[in-house]
Amino acid sequence: MKDFLDDIIEEGQIDGKISFITSIDNSMKSQLTEEVSTEDFIPVLPLRGMMVFPDTFIPISVGRKSSLRLLKDAQKNDKPIAVFSQINDSIDEPEYDQLYHTGVLSKVTKVLKLPDGSYTALLQGFNRVRLIELDSNGSYSIGRVENYPEEVPDTNNREFTAIADACRETAIKLMRANEQTIGSAFALNNMTEKTLVINFICSNLNISNRERIILLEDSNFIDRGYHLLSILQREYQYVTLKMNIQMKTREELDKQQREYFLRQEIENIQEELGEKGTSDLDKLKEAGAKKNWGENAENAFNDSMEKLSRLSPHSPDYQVEYTYAKTLLDLPWNEYTKDNLNLTNAEKVLNKDHYGMEKVKERIIEHLAVLKMRGDFKSPIICLYGPPGVGKTSLGKSIAKSMKRKYVRMSLGGLHDEAEIRGHRKTYVGAMPGQIIKSIMKAGSSNPVFILDEIDKVTQNTNHGDPASALLEVLDPEQNSAFHDNYLDTEYDLSKVMFIATANNISTIPGPLLDRMELIEVSGYLTEEKIEIAKRHLVPQELDNLGMKDSCVKISKAGIEKIIEDYTRESGVRDLDKKINKVLRKVTLNYAKDGVLPSGELKPADVKEYLGTEPYSRDKYQGNDFYGVVTGLAWTSVGGEILFIETSIDNGKGGKLGLTGNLGNVMKESATIALQYLKEHCELLGIDAEWFENHNIHIHVPEGATPKDGPSAGITIATSLASAITKKKVRKNIAMTGEITLRGKVLPVGGIKEKILAAKRAGITDILICYENRKNIEEIPEKYVKGVTFHYVDTVKDVLDFALIG
């Protein structure tokens, strides 16, 4: 046997996995036992992942420096050592409680240095010992041990002989099935000592230390043999089952199936060894048990988990079902953030972040007050409408901040697919939830402030459904408590979400959708308000963005006003922000280049130097020196503007009406209606009906490159026609807006605040407007209407009586 070992060592076949049998030398065992006293400390060698059995010869790989010192000292002094296995292999310096207390008294036969610089030692095991105490001598572990004898059956014991032979046969079959080395099976087959057979198999069987220690602690060899035989039969049955599976499926296996079976084998082995970790499905189940969801959602999740348990991880359906289950888990079912109901704090936050917007702030404070009193209140659906750049979207962030809620935003501009709202059914390839559910997942709570941006730009009745109609369920407080997403295929409660929609023009929003929202107008800003917004928010924000926060650069009030009046044309402050950024960029460039900052506040002259020639000039009233020229008020997407209606008369048969100035259909109809009304009421103008047959009329609206439409210019066109026909001038500093009918009735129009701001910019002091618009005027704060006198009219006759003079 010694020669056999030497041959293997020389061939470099020692790998720390195969032990060999030594001839039993009972005299040496007795001598070692006598040498070791329970009072003496001997070297203790801890082993990782392996275990020495009596009468075996085993190679071990040496990794720890303390172990190498111990082995070299023991070999040099020819002294025995006690070998014990670690309970946890990850510990470098195990203590007494971290070792199995049953081990083997051994001798170090050789310590070899391999070509790669590592060391391997050959240990010869003798008899069992128990660990009494563990200590250290500063270099390695030492301990006190006591002899732990084994009960060896009589050589004529037929039961033990049968058990040993059965173990030998099963082990040889297992080695051949696992294609182990022929040498191990040959050595086992030619072994005569039954105790050696048992110990040899125990040492070489590929099982965990938890099972090996049970075998080693069996003091009676018959009990050890029975226990060993049961383990061998279990392993052999598993190997046989594996071979049968491989034989049956050999012709059908492709790459994915092969990987699946390999993973299954690994899981089975880990389960047998007690090392199986938590699978992905187990983790999902654990997470699902902690969710506070309703019965429907829980049933959907359990159904999904049941399907997953029956599917192969490499099946396409598995990934679909797994993603669905993960989506259900990621949703914040019945998880809500606690609202901050401090009304004073909310008012302070809103005032700090936004200047003006009194109606909106008042509505939010009212909502908080109701929440505070009731404790539970369905969130309102608010629609903020007004021109671009007035702060509708950013207001949502301030509301979320004041209420201590999460904030999410969804852009609806150009949305043309209903599935973007409701999601796709999970049976489709690439299916996913709709943007509503995705945003709720992103927020991580079921009561965020949810901004639906640009709701007026949602496409209707496309080939992919009707997204606008899909929003009806979302924005109906009576329905959204049971919102149905096609992907989830179960109900989700949106009633606690505070939806805030934004729009530029509510006329394009479908009626049923508009009916579900509370409309709050966010109108344009006065020049004075824009100046305050720039000073409080825009300038500090841009300085921070440009890295100039500490530079103390300021723009004077006059400088900001120049930017507003001569470099922007808007109701909001978005373009103003861009122009301020451009000015401050120039300042930053000079500072980065030369280290020079402006000596004081930036004046209008500095603004012009940085921004160049003014692209706009302030709308100015052009006077009443000409017949047929009347000032009208119009609403555009960027706010209010003044426009001029010009009418000229020439002699000619036929009474033709010419219209120029890029007018829309509605505005052309207003001109036709105004002319027809004047034809039927010639007495108002003091002319005969035949006059129209002998004159041609031409109406023009300047700035022909700009499209113009809408009914608001009805009374303006009628006044311009009457002025040109009667040769009467129009009162000074007057402007007007209103729609007319064929009966001469003046109808109300919209955009009142923006139109008033445009009139004030142009220096208008008197405005003619419909009686029914009086309620709109009364809702506007005094500062907006200061300096303007309103004249309410009911008919075209009222307009002409007031507007035309001498």
Side-chain angles (χ1 to χ4, degrees), residues 404-509:
K404 294 289 180 70
R405 286 193 180 190
K406 299 295 181 66
Y407 167 84
V408 284
R409 173 183 169 273
M410 176 183 175
S411 178
L412 299 175
L415 189 72
H416 65 280
D417 191 347
E418 182 181 335
E420 290 291 320
I421 305 295
R422 293 188 180 277
H424 307 78
R425 297 196 178 277
K426 67 176 181 178
T427 51
Y428 296 145
V429 176
M432 61 182 68
Q435 292 295 333
I436 300 294
I437 294 297
K438 277 187 181 179
S439 298
I440 296 293
M441 290 168 61
K442 179 181 176 183
S445 75
S446 293
N447 64 336
V449 173
F450 199 128
I451 302 297
L452 296 170
D453 223 359
E454 311 288 357
I455 198 170
D456 56 326
K457 296 176 178 61
V458 176
T459 309
Q460 301 177 49
N461 298 320
T462 69
N463 294 331
H464 301 282
D466 189 350
S469 296
L471 283 171
L472 294 177
E473 183 183 4
V474 177
L475 299 181
D476 191 338
E478 300 302 322
Q479 297 182 46
N480 63 12
S481 59
F483 173 68
H484 186 88
D485 184 276
N486 291 330
Y487 183 80
L488 294 183
D489 201 23
T490 187
E491 297 173 350
Y492 193 88
D493 185 3
L494 297 177
S495 63
K496 302 295 190 298
V497 178
M498 187 171 188
F499 287 103
I500 299 178
T502 70
N504 296 134
N505 184 6
I506 59 174
S507 63
T508 61
I509 301 176

Side-chain angles (χ1 to χ4, degrees), residues 3-15 20 112 114-115 181:
D3 295 336
F4 178 64
L5 281 173
D6 289 341
D7 291 341
I8 290 193
I9 293 169
E10 289 174 2
E11 292 173 8
Q13 295 180 12
I14 293 177
D15 59 2
F20 301 93
L112 305 172
L114 301 181
T181 57

Side-chain angles (χ1 to χ4, degrees), residues 153-165 222:
D154 188 83
T155 55
N156 297 322
N157 190 312
R158 294 174 64 82
E159 182 184 10
F160 179 58
T161 300
I163 291 171
D165 289 342
I222 293 178

Side-chain angles (χ1 to χ4, degrees), residues 709-755:
D709 202 6
S712 297
I715 63 172
T716 313
I717 294 173
T719 304
S720 177
L721 285 169
S723 174
I725 293 170
T726 61
K727 305 299 182 183
K728 292 182 179 180
K729 294 181 181 180
V730 179
R731 286 180 183 272
K732 290 184 178 181
N733 302 318
I734 191 175
M736 57 190 70
T737 181
E739 182 182 355
I740 61 171
T741 69
L742 280 173
R743 294 177 290 116
K745 180 76 173 174
V746 178
L747 301 180
V749 291
I752 299 301
K753 182 180 174 183
E754 283 75 14
K755 291 176 179 178

Side-chain angles (χ1 to χ4, degrees), residues 518-637:
E518 180 177 343
L519 299 177
I520 299 178
E521 184 178 6
V522 184
S523 52
Y525 297 113
L526 290 168
T527 299
E528 291 75 13
E529 290 178 319
K530 291 183 181 180
I531 292 172
E532 286 299 317
I533 291 170
K535 288 171 64 178
R536 296 184 186 191
H537 301 288
L538 303 184
V539 173
Q541 177 182 306
E542 291 303 334
L543 285 172
D544 190 25
N545 292 341
L546 296 169
M548 297 281 286
K549 188 176 181 180
D550 300 326
S551 64
C552 299
V553 175
K554 293 183 179 180
I555 305 178
S556 67
K557 182 178 179 180
I560 295 174
E561 186 174 358
K562 181 166 182 65
I563 298 175
I564 294 168
E565 297 294 345
D566 297 340
Y567 292 91
T568 63
R569 182 63 61 87
E570 59 178 348
S571 291
V573 292
R574 186 170 291 146
D575 200 28
L576 174 60
D577 188 30
K578 294 176 185 177
K579 293 298 186 291
I580 288 174
N581 176 271
K582 186 174 181 180
V583 170
L584 294 178
R585 279 203 317 268
K586 303 285 187 184
V587 174
T588 304
L589 174 62
N590 294 339
Y591 182 65
K593 226 163 128 183
D594 307 322
V596 177
L597 285 172
S599 56
E601 292 183 336
L602 297 177
K603 301 292 191 296
D606 301 315
V607 169
K608 184 171 183 179
E609 179 185 347
Y610 291 136
L611 296 182
T613 305
E614 300 91 335
Y616 304 112
S617 60
R618 186 169 183 158
D619 290 331
K620 292 182 180 179
Y621 172 66
Q622 295 184 357
N624 64 338
D625 296 332
F626 301 95
Y627 303 121
V629 178
V630 183
T631 306
L633 298 176
W635 182 92
T636 68
S637 61

Side-chain angles (χ1 to χ4, degrees), residues 210-314:
R210 285 194 296 273
E211 289 191 296
R212 286 197 186 104
I213 192 64
I214 296 172
L215 292 169
L216 183 60
E217 289 181 340
D218 281 332
S219 297
N220 190 306
F221 264 94
I222 293 178
D223 294 339
R224 188 182 297 178
Y226 273 117
H227 191 182
L228 175 62
L229 183 59
S230 68
I231 294 174
L232 286 168
Q233 288 175 341
R234 182 195 71 197
E235 294 297 313
Y236 183 67
Q237 287 174 2
Y238 170 71
V239 171
T240 304
L241 177 62
K242 182 176 71 173
M243 292 176 65
N244 290 337
I245 292 173
Q246 290 172 344
M247 290 297 294
K248 288 178 183 178
T249 59
R250 189 182 299 271
E251 296 179 359
E252 302 175 3
L253 287 178
D254 58 14
K255 184 178 178 181
Q256 287 186 343
Q257 290 173 314
R258 186 162 58 252
E259 289 178 0
Y260 168 68
F261 281 110
L262 287 172
R263 292 182 188 277
Q264 288 297 106
E265 290 171 14
I266 292 171
E267 288 181 8
N268 290 337
I269 292 170
Q270 288 177 334
E271 187 173 4
E272 289 295 334
L273 297 177
E275 298 174 354
K276 185 175 181 182
T278 305
S279 68
D280 288 343
L281 294 189
D282 291 336
K283 291 178 182 177
L284 289 180
K285 288 177 182 177
E286 289 176 11
K290 299 175 183 176
K291 295 293 284 186
N292 180 28
W293 43 24
E295 183 180 352
N296 291 339
E298 186 174 5
N299 291 339
F301 178 76
N302 291 336
D303 290 345
S304 180
M305 295 305 299
E306 187 177 341
K307 291 177 186 176
L308 282 171
S309 64
R310 297 195 300 264
L311 292 171
S312 162
H314 301 284

